[in-house]
Amino acid sequence: MRSSVTVSLVPEARGGPFVFWDQLGEACAQAASLGFDAIEVFPSGPDDPALIILPSLLAQHSLRLAAMGTGAGWVKHQLTLTNPDPEVFQRAMSFVKGIIDQAGRLGAPAIIGSMQGRNAPGSDRVPTLLRLKDALTELGDYAAQHQVPLLLEPLNRYETNLINTVDDGLNLVASLGTTNVKLLVDLFHMNIEETSIPLALRAAGATIGHVHFVDTNRRAAGFGHLDYGSVIGILKEVGYKGYLSAEALPWPDSISAATQTIAKFKELFPRET
Ligand SMILES: [Mn+2]
């Protein structure tokens, strides 16, 4: 498994669980000097000017791109893949396809988290989930042109009422007309929603495409009470070889959160670093 750390370029998401903020060049320099293998970027959109210099920054610092987030589509533009308005839905699809292309040219997958939206109170869930199913099928096939999967992230109940658990995610993925959608398992969301984190990880098995490496309180790994030994044991058992990406609050500050994360990673993988 390899290490990654998040960088948000979305001012409207300030206060969110991203380790580094705003300054892509500085974040790359700090991630590289701490020994991370990769960064995970949350751009303001497919046309974020920072994405122009991203390839050269990655090369300069010998970093990979682990994944790219699409949440700015929701945070900045209130777009979702379940909006019943066809015009809004199409703009959401275009936004996500743009991110898939930006990430895909660097060999990385895009993430669908908050862009799944939520079901309006009192309305029927069935058509909402059908829209999400159709969207993920089309976007999963779209991502295949870059030889990368599309990542679907179950979120806790305070962020969506659609896909909350690994089981919800597995059922949706199994229903799709594509095999190119994988699950992003976020240990913070899992701590809220799962009966057992190890059992849910084992159930997800080969469908796990990415891991958000974060503690129970959304602080850096080791700043909460998660049993990382059992988590890593199950990930090894199911053959997971992807990233453990720190999507955590910059607490008490960005550098401390990044330093804590890499220390925990080295403790868990003494021979890989
Ligand atoms: Mn996450």
Side-chain angles (χ1 to χ4, degrees), residues 9 24 43-54 102 105:
L9 306 174
L24 185 59
S44 61
D47 53 0
D48 190 316
L51 296 180
I52 296 166
I53 55 166
L54 178 59
Q102 287 283 9
R105 70 187 175 129

Side-chain angles (χ1 to χ4, degrees), residues 165-248:
T165 64
V166 161
D167 199 46
D168 293 339
L170 288 172
N171 286 331
L172 182 58
V173 165
S175 77
L176 302 177
T178 176
T179 56
N180 200 40
V181 177
K182 296 213 164 202
L183 287 186
L184 191 178
V185 293
D186 180 310
L187 299 169
F188 167 75
H189 296 307
M190 292 184 80
N191 178 60
I192 295 172
E193 297 297 338
E194 303 295 344
T195 304
S196 158
I197 293 177
L199 290 181
L201 290 172
R202 187 175 288 145
T207 308
I208 301 174
H210 196 68
V211 175
H212 276 162
F213 186 67
V214 54
D215 220 315
T216 48
N217 48 15
R218 221 170 201 177
R219 290 176 178 168
F223 281 157
H225 57 81
L226 190 66
D227 175 4
Y228 284 93
S230 70
V231 166
I232 299 305
I234 302 285
L235 289 173
K236 283 181 176 169
E237 180 190 307
V238 303
Y240 180 69
K241 292 188 166 53
Y243 288 102
L244 299 179
S245 189
E247 189 194 53

Side-chain angles (χ1 to χ4, degrees), residues 33-228:
S33 77
L34 285 168
F36 282 94
D37 298 309
I39 59 167
E40 178 176 325
V41 176
F42 291 78
S44 61
D47 53 0
D48 190 316
L51 296 180
I52 296 166
I53 55 166
L54 178 59
S56 60
L57 283 172
L58 293 173
Q60 180 189 339
H61 295 288
S62 300
L63 290 165
R64 302 293 302 268
L65 180 68
M68 195 176 284
T70 61
W74 165 248
V75 173
K76 286 180 74 81
H77 308 292
Q78 284 72 58
L79 301 174
T80 73
L81 298 174
T82 47
N83 194 301
D85 180 334
E87 192 269 332
V88 178
F89 174 80
Q90 281 307 326
R91 282 172 50 215
M93 291 291 281
S94 299
F95 188 96
V96 173
K97 286 178 181 176
I99 298 287
I100 288 172
D101 289 334
Q102 287 283 9
R105 70 187 175 129
L106 294 165
I111 300 165
I112 304 299
S114 57
M115 285 294 278
Q116 70 186 267
R118 55 179 76 201
N119 197 45
S123 70
D124 187 356
R125 288 173 64 81
V126 173
T128 308
L129 285 167
L130 272 178
R131 279 193 291 279
L132 186 56
K133 179 182 163 185
D134 289 347
L136 292 177
T137 295
E138 182 177 335
L139 294 168
D141 281 341
Y142 186 85
Q145 68 182 298
H146 299 290
Q147 286 86 48
V148 295
L150 179 71
L151 299 172
L152 170 65
E153 180 174 14
L155 304 176
N156 76 73
R157 65 192 68 186
Y158 307 106
E159 300 185 31
T160 185
N161 55 11
L162 292 177
I163 306 300
N164 293 132
T165 64
V166 161
D167 199 46
D168 293 339
L170 288 172
N171 286 331
L172 182 58
V173 165
S175 77
L176 302 177
T178 176
T179 56
N180 200 40
V181 177
K182 296 213 164 202
L183 287 186
L184 191 178
V185 293
D186 180 310
L187 299 169
F188 167 75
H189 296 307
M190 292 184 80
N191 178 60
I192 295 172
E193 297 297 338
E194 303 295 344
T195 304
S196 158
I197 293 177
L199 290 181
L201 290 172
R202 187 175 288 145
T207 308
I208 301 174
H210 196 68
V211 175
H212 276 162
F213 186 67
V214 54
D215 220 315
T216 48
N217 48 15
R218 221 170 201 177
R219 290 176 178 168
F223 281 157
H225 57 81
L226 190 66
D227 175 4
Y228 284 93

Side-chain angles (χ1 to χ4, degrees), residues 239-261:
Y240 180 69
K241 292 188 166 53
Y243 288 102
L244 299 179
S245 189
E247 189 194 53
L249 294 166
W251 183 91
D253 54 65
S254 295
I255 292 291
S256 302
T259 303
Q260 169 62 31
T261 295

